[in-house]
Every structure is written in structure tokens, then in C-alpha cells.
Amino acid sequence: LVNDLAKNAQVVDKSGGAISGSSSSSAGHSDSATGQYGNKGPFEVPGDMLGTWYSADNDDDSTMTISDHAMVIDGDDLKLYHQDAQYARDNEQPSDEQVSATKDWGRTQFFHDDGGTWLNVQGWFQGAGDGTSYMVKTENIDGKPVKVLVVGEGAENWVTAVYYPTKA
């Protein structure tokens, strides 16, 4: 019985976002960038982050759309991938060609802080800085629980924006 169950088991690795197992539909998923510039394949965004999110700060509206492997933030596309850590170490001084080819790529990872799991996104060859992190939380709005997308930045992961599921 245990052997039969193990054949269909899948492991969700929250530290790197990979899903493995014989029944996983994303196993082996790749795109034309996989294998290039240390790209280990598309990153699978958690389901609760998917969709279009809205924020407004000082009359500056912002829209973010998150799909399975990408983000569009105010019209700027960012494809999310797993990066080979050794490739990053070996290319601390990337060429202009490398930077140009990966300008719309984000390297991704998860980390745990503030009672939850954050999705951290950094530039492909980013050396300094902590990138931008995202986590879905529940906020009480007019007495009702509403899922919001919290954005954190900096060494202490300071909240810089909150996105809502509707413009209202």
C-alpha cells in the first residue's frame, strides 16, 4: 500500500517553488529560455497570488497581473524563473549581452517571515539589494475578510504597497 501511494505522491518545495512527483503536470515544464544563462525553468507562482491586483497611493494607481510564470506590473513584463546558483556565482560581472537577454527575467525564491511565506523576486543578475517580496494576507475591510497582496522591499522587508482584488 505504501509503495502504491508513493508512486503518486508529489512534493511541493516551498523553498524553491518546484513541484516534483510522477503525477505532477508541471514536471518537465520548460520554455525556450530554459537552459540559457543559468535558467533552470519557469517558476510556478502560488495559486492565491494569481490574478489582477490594484493599488493606489497618493493618486498614483498601479495594476499588477500575476499569471502562472510571470508578472505584469504597470505594463512591464517580468518572466519568473528558477536560477542556477552556481551560474550566478560564476557570472557576477555579466556581459552586456547577458544583461540584455535577461532584462525581463526575475529569479525567484520563497522565504518565511512575518508569520507567512513570501515570494521574493530579484533581477537575474542583481548583486546588491533584496529584491521585492510578495505575500497574500487577509485584511478586514468593512467587517469582511478580503485577501490582499502585500509588497515588501529592503533588508527588513518593509511594506511598500498593498494591492487589492478590485479597484474599489
Side-chain angles (χ1 to χ4, degrees), residues 33-49:
T34 300
Q36 299 179 36
Y37 305 106
N39 186 327
K40 293 178 71 175
F43 180 86
E44 187 76 30
V45 175
D48 62 348
M49 291 185 176

Side-chain angles (χ1 to χ4, degrees), residues 21-166:
S22 59
S23 66
S24 173
S25 62
S26 66
H29 176 79
S30 65
D31 65 17
S32 62
T34 300
Q36 299 179 36
Y37 305 106
N39 186 327
K40 293 178 71 175
F43 180 86
E44 187 76 30
V45 175
D48 62 348
M49 291 185 176
L50 302 178
T52 300
W53 300 88
Y54 304 91
S55 184
D57 185 22
N58 298 322
D59 297 323
D60 184 22
D61 293 345
S62 180
T63 302
M64 181 183 320
T65 301
I66 303 175
S67 62
D68 290 340
H69 312 289
M71 304 172 86
V72 178
I73 304 170
D74 296 327
D76 294 326
D77 294 322
L78 184 63
K79 297 177 186 108
L80 305 176
Y81 295 111
H82 295 280
Q83 185 186 58
D84 181 285
Q86 186 61 49
Y87 181 86
R89 285 189 293 274
D90 292 345
N91 291 277
E92 290 181 4
Q93 300 285 326
S95 68
D96 290 343
E97 176 203 343
Q98 289 171 307
V99 171
S100 177
T102 61
K103 69 182 181 304
D104 64 348
W105 293 7
R107 69 178 188 223
T108 54
Q109 63 185 356
F110 288 108
F111 72 90
H112 305 283
D113 189 25
D114 196 27
T117 301
W118 293 80
L119 166 61
N120 179 255
V121 180
Q122 297 181 7
W124 199 252
F125 289 107
Q126 181 175 338
D130 294 297
T132 304
S133 300
Y134 306 88
M135 179 169 61
V136 174
K137 287 191 158 203
T138 301
E139 187 174 289
N140 186 334
I141 300 175
D142 296 328
K144 298 177 185 171
V146 176
K147 290 195 182 275
V148 299
L149 183 70
V150 179
V151 180
E153 298 181 278
E156 297 293 323
N157 200 38
W158 294 284
V159 172
T160 56
V162 177
Y163 284 77
Y164 299 86
T166 66

